[in-house]
Amino acid sequence: MNSTSQLDLHPDADSLNAFAEQALAVPEREQILAHLAGCSRCRQVIFLAQQAAARRGSGNPAHNSNPRAWFGTGVLPGFRLRLWRRRWRWWSPFIHGARRKCRNWRRPCRSVSEAVPTPAPQEQASAGAAHKPAQALAAKSLAGNAEFAARRRTPEELVQQSAPSAAPPAEPGASAPFSWGEPVRFCRLRLSPPQQETTAQFQPEPAVAAWQQEQQQATGATRPAPTPRAGFTKEHESGSIHRPRQPPGCLGGAAHGAAVPVHARQQLRNRHATAIRRIGSFSQSESAQAAQRPGGCFQGNRPASHAGN
Amino acid sequence: LLDELWRESCAATYGLEREQFREILERVGTAQNFGLAPEATASRQQQVNYFRGLRFADLVLARACANGHQGAWEHFLSVYRQPLTRAAIAITGSETLGRELADQLYAELYGLTTRDGVRRSPLDSYRGKGSLMGWLRTTLAQRHVDHHRRTRRELPLDDPADGNEPQAAAPEPQKPASELLLLSKAIEEALRQLAAEERFLLAAYYLDGRTLLEIAPLLRVHEATVSRKLHRVTGDLRKQIVRNLQAQGLSKPAAQEALGADPRDLDLNLKKILQFSLPDAFTEKAVPIRGMQ
């Protein structure tokens, strides 16, 4: 049988269907492929059957025996939408609860200070002598709160306290800057014994004291302390917020709210306005002089001898 | 294994006894040589693997319907009637023609045609390699293609005496005939060296005009893979043709120049070249053009 007469023989429907469904062994598949390469009739048959199968998948699936196909082909979109709504209704309490948990997790110091009541100094002293980890942790947080409460006093109070102080000054950088959104693992607590915190007088840092003196000399009067943000009054009073310490003249803390004092901002605004005013007057005078010149053009700050050239 | 398969296929519900079931399995296995090459001998393990891959539920239903079992026909109609009608409509592209085609197939499946006094049903030829629904779709497509080819050949030819169509000018030979002969021979040799899948790819894409999306499911690859294969096959084919021309004595520039010949000048029967399957591979005779009932 030559190849020409081979065109008159075709694989049966079972073989073609098995080929389309990938159910043939390799030798049979090679035979079918070799025949399909030269037989346009069988190629047409197999492509037509394939198209019919594809349309059956996208046609009316009410007769489809697989219920999952109803949802996959969009048979019952309304029902699917209702199903999703029901599922959302079931899961919404858990999702809201998880969101609240996340929100609390992002405020570690606040939650710790609210959970642990402020003890008496005697209790803090006894807690400092204790060796239990939980008590030590609570004592450390309380020590940090007390330190912050002492730090956010007004400069007058700080000056008054620094004068009769006999205790050693606090180490700069002992309380690390802490922003509002940082997780708890970045919250460095003070490691000194809480008994020393409660009994020792607060000593301001040398950089802070020098900056306050400069401010007093510059302004000639003592300015009020920076006003805390309206929403954080309660936390400030309880001392649970660790505000970052900013060096004098540092504007990098402006993004954190009240890091730059109000008077410093006002001073910067005044300088800026003065500079703009001077530039404006200078340019007006220059332009008026240039208008009086014969050329009528602006010559800049060049000497009069060069202006005529 | 036979008892296990007989129980799993629920053949008893359609009145098929164990011995009948065994005969069916023997016929199916020997007809396909258990999925092996014709000259190979299947071992017991290969036979078991072959039988494990069959769809026995569909096979038993088809054989029970071919035997005329009433319960099997009721089940067949309840499951396959509407999908079969929809498939016929999809194949023909017309609801009227589709329903007509499906009804014709139903009559054929029911065994209205007799040969030598014996009812013949096409369901006897189903051997369970693929799904029964797929087999029905393929059978419908075969009927439709055969009908289309028969009716297309019966269309009247255009009358050349009308004079509406311009007469084609006599083509002038642009290249020497010897060079075209060399090119035809080189192309034929290069095409014969291609694998079956590559020849199928070229025929389906360039001769039939099928899209990558239509070809990809048959090869079980992505469309992008089909595109890459096509690109690689055409590139390799071009290089092979140049090499064949060089082997026939042409220089490389001359071989490159010969590739620019007009394809209409070549006398090539691509259908004959691409058909390169083994003889006696298939036993189903094509439906006679005028003798189809």
Side-chain angles (χ1 to χ4, degrees):
Chain A
M1 184 179 295
N2 54 24
S3 60
T4 307
S5 61
Q6 181 70 22
L7 291 175
D8 295 333
L9 295 178
H10 302 281
D12 56 1
D14 194 50
S15 298
L16 286 178
N17 176 44
F19 171 79
E21 294 183 354
Q22 308 288 326
L24 286 179
V26 176
E28 287 180 288
R29 180 176 172 79
E30 288 296 319
Q31 285 183 1
I32 300 288
L33 265 176
H35 177 82
L36 286 174
C39 182
S40 61
R41 180 251 188 193
C42 288
R43 284 200 305 268
Q44 210 168 355
V45 166
I46 208 165
F47 280 119
L48 272 178
Q50 182 191 357
Q51 288 175 4
R55 288 188 189 180
R56 185 185 71 92
S58 61
N60 182 12
H63 307 284
N64 199 334
S65 58
N66 185 9
R68 293 191 175 198
W70 299 0
F71 304 100
T73 54
V75 184
L76 303 172
F79 179 72
R80 185 167 53 177
L81 188 61
R82 286 197 295 272
L83 189 66
W84 277 108
R85 282 178 182 170
R86 286 178 190 172
R87 286 179 183 173
W88 169 251
R89 198 183 308 157
W90 296 337
W91 284 98
S92 57
F94 299 103
I95 293 171
H96 287 305
R99 287 179 61 189
R100 281 191 217 105
K101 287 285 182 186
C102 291
R103 210 176 297 150
N104 293 335
W105 179 77
R106 292 181 68 83
R107 299 176 183 176
C109 294
R110 180 182 179 186
S111 59
V112 168
S113 63
E114 287 175 354
V116 181
T118 306
Q122 292 79 9
E123 293 176 0
Q124 292 184 6
S126 61
H131 297 285
K132 293 182 180 180
Q135 293 177 355
L137 179 63
K140 285 176 183 175
S141 64
L142 291 171
N145 295 340
E147 179 196 24
F148 179 76
R151 280 173 189 262
R152 61 175 293 277
R153 291 172 187 170
T154 58
E156 293 82 358
E157 293 174 352
L158 292 175
V159 171
Q160 289 175 2
Q161 288 180 359
S162 61
S165 173
E171 299 177 2
S175 178
F178 178 74
S179 63
W180 178 243
E182 288 181 5
V184 71
R185 60 178 177 273
F186 296 121
C187 181
R188 281 190 281 168
L189 300 174
R190 189 177 179 84
L191 299 179
S192 57
Q195 189 175 0
Q196 293 180 4
E197 285 293 327
T198 52
T199 55
Q201 295 293 327
F202 178 75
Q203 179 74 19
E205 293 179 10
V208 175
W211 173 62
Q212 289 166 355
Q213 290 176 2
E214 288 177 5
Q215 291 295 320
Q216 289 175 3
Q217 290 174 2
T219 57
T222 304
R223 295 185 181 276
T227 308
R229 290 167 67 182
F232 301 149
T233 306
K234 183 181 177 183
E235 286 79 9
H236 275 280
E237 290 177 359
S238 64
S240 62
I241 293 178
H242 293 240
R243 185 179 296 170
R245 285 178 300 158
Q246 298 293 336
C250 176
L251 299 179
H256 298 283
V260 177
V262 176
H263 63 275
R265 291 183 185 178
Q266 186 62 37
Q267 197 172 4
L268 282 176
R269 283 198 202 101
N270 294 337
R271 287 180 182 175
H272 185 63
T274 307
I276 290 175
R277 210 178 303 121
R278 287 176 181 172
I279 292 170
S281 61
F282 174 77
S283 61
Q284 286 176 1
S285 61
E286 285 292 325
S287 58
Q289 291 176 4
Q292 293 173 0
R293 288 183 188 126
C297 60
F298 177 68
Q299 298 294 329
N301 291 331
R302 298 169 66 188
S305 58
H306 296 277
N309 297 335
Chain B
L1 177 67
L2 183 65
D3 292 336
E4 183 185 351
L5 295 177
W6 185 63
R7 281 194 301 271
E8 286 180 357
S9 60
C10 304
T13 57
Y14 298 127
L16 283 177
E17 299 297 331
R18 187 176 175 279
E19 284 303 313
Q20 290 176 310
F21 186 72
R22 186 180 61 81
E23 289 177 5
I24 291 171
L25 289 189
E26 283 182 358
R27 266 187 285 164
V28 167
T30 52
Q32 296 182 335
N33 197 18
F34 301 99
L36 301 176
E39 65 275 6
T41 304
S43 63
R44 179 166 181 79
Q45 186 59 37
Q46 288 173 332
Q47 293 181 12
V48 170
N49 292 338
Y50 173 77
F51 286 132
R52 289 285 184 192
L54 295 182
R55 295 172 180 255
F56 279 101
D58 291 347
L59 179 63
V60 165
L61 178 64
R63 291 308 163 96
C65 289
N67 292 340
H69 192 270
Q70 185 65 26
W73 270 111
E74 289 175 358
H75 181 67
F76 181 85
L77 290 177
S78 65
V79 173
Y80 292 106
R81 183 173 180 81
Q82 289 186 354
L84 189 63
T85 307
R86 286 199 305 273
I89 292 171
I91 286 172
T92 57
S94 163
E95 185 164 0
T96 308
L97 292 177
R99 291 189 182 278
E100 186 181 350
L101 181 65
D103 291 341
Q104 285 180 0
L105 183 62
Y106 268 122
E108 231 178 310
L109 291 176
Y110 197 70
L112 292 183
T113 58
T114 58
R115 191 179 300 170
D116 300 332
V118 181
R119 269 178 47 181
R120 293 282 182 179
S121 173
L123 285 170
D124 277 328
S125 64
Y126 176 68
R127 288 190 291 269
K129 287 293 285 183
S131 65
L132 182 57
M133 188 60 227
W135 180 83
L136 290 170
R137 276 196 302 266
T138 310
T139 307
L140 279 173
Q142 281 183 337
R143 300 288 189 273
H144 176 67
V145 169
D146 291 339
H147 175 75
H148 175 70
R149 290 185 162 221
R150 186 178 68 245
T151 54
R152 188 189 63 179
R153 293 191 183 191
E154 291 172 355
L155 287 177
L157 297 173
D158 295 332
D159 190 3
D162 291 344
N164 295 330
E165 296 182 358
Q167 295 291 330
E172 298 178 358
Q174 297 178 353
K175 288 181 180 296
S178 60
E179 194 172 336
L180 288 177
L181 282 177
L182 287 178
L183 184 59
S184 301
K185 193 175 177 182
I187 292 174
E188 188 173 351
E189 287 179 2
L191 286 175
R192 284 186 186 281
Q193 290 174 358
L194 291 178
E197 184 177 321
E198 294 171 343
R199 281 185 279 130
F200 168 72
L201 202 58
L202 291 176
Y205 189 76
Y206 290 107
L207 296 183
D208 296 345
R210 299 289 174 183
T211 62
L212 301 176
L213 187 62
E214 291 173 332
I215 298 172
L218 289 178
L219 301 178
R220 286 295 167 102
V221 292
H222 194 263
E223 309 161 37
T225 308
V226 178
S227 175
R228 284 193 294 269
K229 281 186 176 182
L230 267 174
H231 187 72
R232 192 186 66 237
V233 167
T234 50
D236 293 347
L237 193 60
R238 190 179 183 87
K239 291 176 185 173
Q240 186 61 39
I241 290 172
V242 171
R243 278 197 292 267
N244 291 344
L245 287 173
Q246 284 180 294
Q248 290 170 4
L250 288 181
S251 63
K252 189 169 183 179
Q256 297 278 3
E257 188 183 359
L259 286 180
D262 193 346
R264 291 171 293 186
D265 296 336
L266 298 174
D267 186 16
L268 277 175
N269 189 355
L270 286 178
K271 185 178 180 181
K272 184 178 176 181
I273 296 171
L274 291 173
Q275 173 69 29
F276 194 64
S277 58
L278 295 172
D280 296 333
F282 311 109
T283 56
E284 183 180 280
K285 186 80 175 174
V287 178
I289 291 175
R290 295 187 183 276
M292 182 182 174
Q293 295 180 358

